[in-house]
Amino acid sequence: MNLLVVIVVHLLALAAALPTLPAGCPSIVSREEWGARSSRQIARRNPLSPFLMVHHGGIRSYCTTKEACSRIIRSYQDLHMDDRGWDDIGYSFLIGEDGNIYEGRGWDRIGAHAIKYNTNSIGVCFVGDFTDRLPEDVALQAFYKLVSCSIKMNFLPNNYTLLGHRQAKDTMCPGDSLFKEISQWPNWKNVTSN
Ligand SMILES: [Zn+2]
């Protein structure tokens, strides 16, 4: 390939990773900004997801600044890649109590966050452990913004199904407090597949 082709292919890959967001979409902290390691492998999927899967990190480290959240997210990525042997951080997006949304695998890559749902869901992880308390309001607001943006971008249908990770697998995730909260939200459905 000549240089121009290489550059064009590279630009197309970047465009696929972070599509242009319509007005009303929140800004998303890119992988470069939070200091992500490169993925070992990238497997794409149809970005239209009927399911939205909620997780928590399950580790009692919390953050209220971009710097601190980035540090914790890098530790999640290390855990997923080094201890679990995955190709990358497992989630599609992460949300910190600094109110930021962080890019994980994004909308169009197969996740590694919930068995049976990795090819048809957006997996969103709240940074911290939410067994005993809810994420700060600023984080919940960021989640709602990500959802409405995903609907505008046609990555989630209006009638998407909201689930907590424990509905897909025998796990405490996303923590008792957060799970109780999301189970009050309109799109949550009482289904289990474990
Ligand atoms: Zn989980």
Side-chain angles (χ1 to χ4, degrees), residues 53-57 91 113-114 124-125 164-166 171-174:
M53 184 70 65
V54 175
H55 300 267
H56 71 163
Y91 312 113
H113 58 87
V124 180
C125 175
H165 190 190
R166 63 178 61 182
T171 172
M172 297 307 287
C173 182

